[in-house]
Amino acid sequence: MPYNKDSYSTGYYKEPGPKLDMENPFESMMERFRFAADLLNLDEGMFQYLSNPVKQVTVSIPIVMDSGEIKVFEGYRVIHDDVLGPSKGGIRFAPDIILDEVKALAAWMTWKCAVVNVPFGGAKGGIRCNPKELSQRELEHLTRRYTANMLEVFGPDKDIPAPDMNTNEQIMAWIMDTFSMHSRKTETAVVTGKPILLGGSKGRKEATGRGVVTVTLSALNKLGMMANKCTVAVQGFGNVGSVSAKLMHEQGARVVAISDVTGGYYNKDGIDIPTAIDYYSSNGGSLDGFSKADKITNEELLELEVDVLIPAAKEDQISKNNAAKINAKIIAEGANGPITANADKILDDKGIIVIPDILANAGGVTVSYFEWVQDRQGYFWTEERVNRRLNRMMREAFNNLYALKEKYDITLRQSAYVYAIDKVARTLRMRGIYS
Ligand code: NAD
């Protein structure tokens, strides 16, 4: 498969973290952690243990560039926690990546895996580089040398990377191959998000959107509402948005609005989503000119009176500036961080149920777990089996958080942190502190 520089960010198995406050990303993560720790009366020692990553590795990666000169890049891997099992998390290539950001995103993976009951701890890694400026040969060398420098860290039973921002299937294939060469045997389970040919999982392309829809249906059920009587608006029409819209449409819901970077498209009678998907792909990945709906803005889409709103484009779309104008009954965060912290309370006061990103878009990491299981078994599941198991895990996770929401009278976002931290802390207490 030739490596296409323009599509290096279109891998399907992203395990991206939220975009965090760049002033101090670790602190913004800790604020949520503190709320849950207080509610759980977590003792100070446990708080300290769970606040600190178990391992932080920084490596220098020397590469002979196409020009013949040697350049040295910096690579990171942070294992936040391995209490529940081997650590799991994406690898991102970005020019502005810093260790603090990687630490925060690693912690986020710990809580995300715990929320969906995947037996993994959390990790994150990255290389400070601009992949757009690198040739395919340079990228391959960078990836392979990074992997070689991380041989003691990575491993199917230790730490399992995945794609994230600016990394894709091809990069995962290089990591798998490099690790396998050093192990003297093929180790497919060392990394997830691989091409199907190399041990990837069926159902992965739709996993995140499918998970979004499963938890949305659970929330509708709690409100006594039926999907086929609902109206839906979806912001963003990429992997997560288009799959969410398609599956809601298949459930009989009336998807009245969709959007992408070119704006919103509204039809009060409902948009035929398969037609919109065909249009989007035949139009070079753009809804521009879609004639089966009226043009609205992305801001107007967010404020529509609908039962379900799925922001699936990017962060910071609903803030304190527009939260009071949101009219949905349920918001399922397909994207990471589409609702800012100061909008949470406004939405809660309006009685809107927000299904937080840490749960709503965890379908990707859940199928990532399935990929690892299949690689270890050497037995590959049908797509139908992958989907059935994904639905079950997402539904169970939703129900767990909903029970906590009712018990403590908190939001589902707060429930997610309470659930995850309680699970990891209880496991840690049982294991004890080795010394
Ligand atoms: P994508 O690149 O496939 O699609 C993004 C879509 O959003 C495109 O249709 C684009 O036109 C649209 N968009 C961009 N800017 C916009 C704007 N200002 N207003 C409206 N639409 C805009 O991305 P994706 O993989 O679907 O990811 C979307 C979000 O979901 C991101 O926040 C990502 O971190 C998160 N996420 C993705 C996955 C995954 O498996 N793909 C998993 C977890 C979380």
Side-chain angles (χ1 to χ4, degrees):
M1 171 182 31
Y3 183 78
N4 178 355
K5 273 217 287 180
D6 296 327
S7 67
Y8 61 76
S9 63
T10 57
Y12 289 121
Y13 240 3
K14 289 179 213 155
E15 287 176 3
K19 222 177 174 101
L20 300 165
D21 166 16
M22 291 310 292
E23 291 298 308
N24 194 334
F26 198 61
E27 268 313 302
S28 75
M29 171 66 51
M30 290 307 294
E31 232 174 81
R32 290 163 176 176
F33 178 42
R34 266 184 215 111
F35 170 87
D38 285 349
L39 198 127
L40 289 165
N41 284 322
L42 205 67
D43 58 78
E44 180 57 25
M46 195 62 86
F47 184 85
Q48 287 300 330
Y49 190 109
L50 297 178
S51 309
N52 290 295
V54 297
K55 195 182 283 181
Q56 305 174 53
V57 183
T58 302
V59 292
S60 294
I61 312 164
I63 298 298
V64 180
M65 306 298 281
D66 292 348
S67 63
E69 66 171 330
I70 298 170
K71 257 187 139 174
V72 181
F73 297 85
E74 195 159 273
Y76 313 97
R77 187 69 177 168
V78 174
I79 314 282
H80 171 257
D81 189 81
D82 53 4
V83 169
L84 298 182
S87 51
K88 182 97 191 76
I91 289 174
R92 54 177 58 183
F93 288 178
D96 51 359
I97 192 166
I98 52 167
L99 190 60
D100 250 1
E101 182 190 357
V102 182
K103 274 165 68 176
L105 296 172
W108 199 69
M109 282 305 295
T110 298
W111 313 134
K112 190 170 191 170
C113 291
V115 160
V116 281
N117 293 308
V118 159
F120 288 143
K124 207 80 183 183
I127 301 178
R128 194 186 303 154
C129 68
N130 186 350
K132 281 190 178 148
E133 290 172 356
L134 299 171
S135 70
Q136 181 178 0
R137 190 202 68 88
E138 289 165 342
L139 251 158
E140 178 173 353
H141 283 256
L142 189 67
T143 306
R144 287 188 183 276
R145 183 62 190 257
Y146 170 73
T147 308
N149 288 359
M150 292 290 177
L151 280 179
E152 284 81 25
V153 180
F154 297 162
D157 299 309
K158 284 159 59 177
D159 178 43
I160 308 135
D164 194 286
M165 197 189 286
N166 295 341
T167 55
N168 63 5
E169 288 190 339
Q170 175 62 80
I171 288 172
M172 296 308 113
W174 288 330
I175 294 177
M176 190 279 266
D177 184 68
T178 307
F179 191 88
S180 298
M181 287 298 129
H182 285 267
S183 304
R184 300 284 185 263
K185 59 180 188 235
T186 299
E187 286 276 19
T188 51
V190 70
V191 72
T192 61
K194 299 179 295 296
I196 295 223
L197 204 56
L198 301 186
S201 176
K202 288 191 173 143
R204 71 183 193 193
K205 185 180 166 215
E206 297 200 333
T208 304
R210 186 173 292 281
V212 170
V213 168
T214 304
V215 292
T216 302
L217 296 179
S218 294
L220 284 170
N221 188 265
K222 292 285 179 202
L223 297 183
M225 295 166 71
M226 309 263 284
N228 61 7
K229 302 245 160 53
C230 268
T231 52
V232 181
V234 182
Q235 188 196 38
F237 211 62
N239 177 252
V240 183
S242 66
V243 172
S244 302
K246 185 183 90 171
L247 297 179
M248 285 308 291
H249 178 79
E250 282 175 10
Q251 289 292 323
R254 187 152 47 98
V255 183
V256 294
I258 55 177
S259 80
D260 68 2
V261 73
T262 67
Y265 300 83
Y266 173 76
N267 183 335
K268 70 173 175 17
D269 299 323
I271 295 168
D272 185 58
I273 300 300
T275 305
I277 291 176
D278 286 347
Y279 183 82
Y280 187 81
S281 39
S282 64
N283 197 33
S286 166
L287 285 170
D288 196 23
F290 183 61
S291 61
K292 305 264 190 275
D294 299 328
K295 193 84 194 277
I296 57 172
T297 64
N298 262 297
E299 292 71 34
E300 286 167 335
L301 177 142
L302 296 171
E303 294 166 16
L304 287 173
E305 206 157 303
V306 285
D307 297 310
V308 176
L309 173 63
I310 303 178
K314 53 190 295 213
E315 68 287 347
D316 293 348
Q317 295 302 294
I318 300 174
S319 66
K320 67 174 188 326
N321 301 330
N322 61 351
K325 297 189 222 150
I326 304 297
N327 287 302
K329 294 190 179 70
I330 294 168
I331 305 177
E333 290 187 316
N336 282 316
I339 300 176
T340 64
N342 50 26
D344 267 348
K345 174 137 180 40
I346 304 171
L347 298 174
D348 192 39
D349 287 345
K350 290 187 74 161
I352 298 172
I353 294 193
V354 173
I355 310 174
D357 48 10
I358 194 169
L359 167 67
N361 66 34
V365 73
T366 305
V367 173
S368 214
Y369 162 55
F370 293 164
E371 178 176 340
W372 176 79
V373 170
Q374 292 171 75
D375 286 339
R376 286 164 63 101
Q377 288 179 332
Y379 176 72
F380 290 87
W381 308 347
T382 59
E383 187 160 351
E384 192 265 331
R385 173 177 283 200
V386 171
N387 293 345
R388 193 160 21 90
R389 292 184 173 183
L390 170 64
N391 287 343
R392 191 177 66 214
M393 285 184 72
M394 295 298 294
R395 234 183 353 253
E396 278 174 11
F398 179 89
N399 288 338
N400 291 337
L401 301 198
Y402 202 85
L404 281 180
K405 169 184 160 56
E406 304 229 293
K407 178 175 171 192
Y408 292 114
D409 192 19
I410 54 180
T411 64
L412 275 176
R413 196 188 306 283
Q414 290 163 337
S415 305
Y417 281 85
V418 170
Y419 182 85
I421 289 159
D422 182 50
K423 178 168 180 173
V424 178
R426 278 191 298 124
T427 312
L428 180 58
R429 269 189 217 106
M430 266 185 211
R431 286 183 64 156
I433 309 280
Y434 177 76
S435 56

